[in-house]
Amino acid sequence: MSGAAIALAAGLALGAAYFWGLWWTVRRGLTAANPALWFGISALLRLGALLTGLYFIGRAGWPSLVLMLGGILIARAWVTRAARTAA
């Protein structure tokens, strides 16, 4: 698999995990006893995973980073559309 395909796949995977995690946190956090804890821990975990992926893919150069960011945006659109139909 080429570096470009890996970067795009990583962007899709990390973006999907980030935005599905956000959707899941909002749904669970609104009914939780301590929503601030839910939202805080979720934000730290999601951002930590996303930034770690961006760091490692970004070391391959800016074209890989751009492809990964494109994958994240595609995943965002997909998760947003899927969450609307699921709600």
Side-chain angles (χ1 to χ4, degrees), residues 14-30 38-47 50 76 79-80 83:
L14 286 171
Y18 181 87
F19 290 108
W20 273 114
L22 176 60
W23 179 73
W24 185 82
T25 300
V26 169
R27 290 181 53 94
R28 299 297 185 268
L30 293 176
W38 275 92
F39 286 107
I41 290 174
S42 173
L44 287 175
L45 291 174
R46 287 181 294 110
L47 281 173
L50 188 63
R76 177 181 173 255
V79 170
T80 301

Side-chain angles (χ1 to χ4, degrees), residues 49-79:
L50 188 63
L51 291 175
T52 300
L54 284 169
Y55 172 75
F56 284 110
I57 296 295
R59 290 174 49 194
W62 69 267
S64 294
L65 189 59
V66 169
L67 284 169
M68 185 174 179
L69 291 172
I72 291 169
L73 292 175
I74 292 167
R76 177 181 173 255
W78 178 71
V79 170

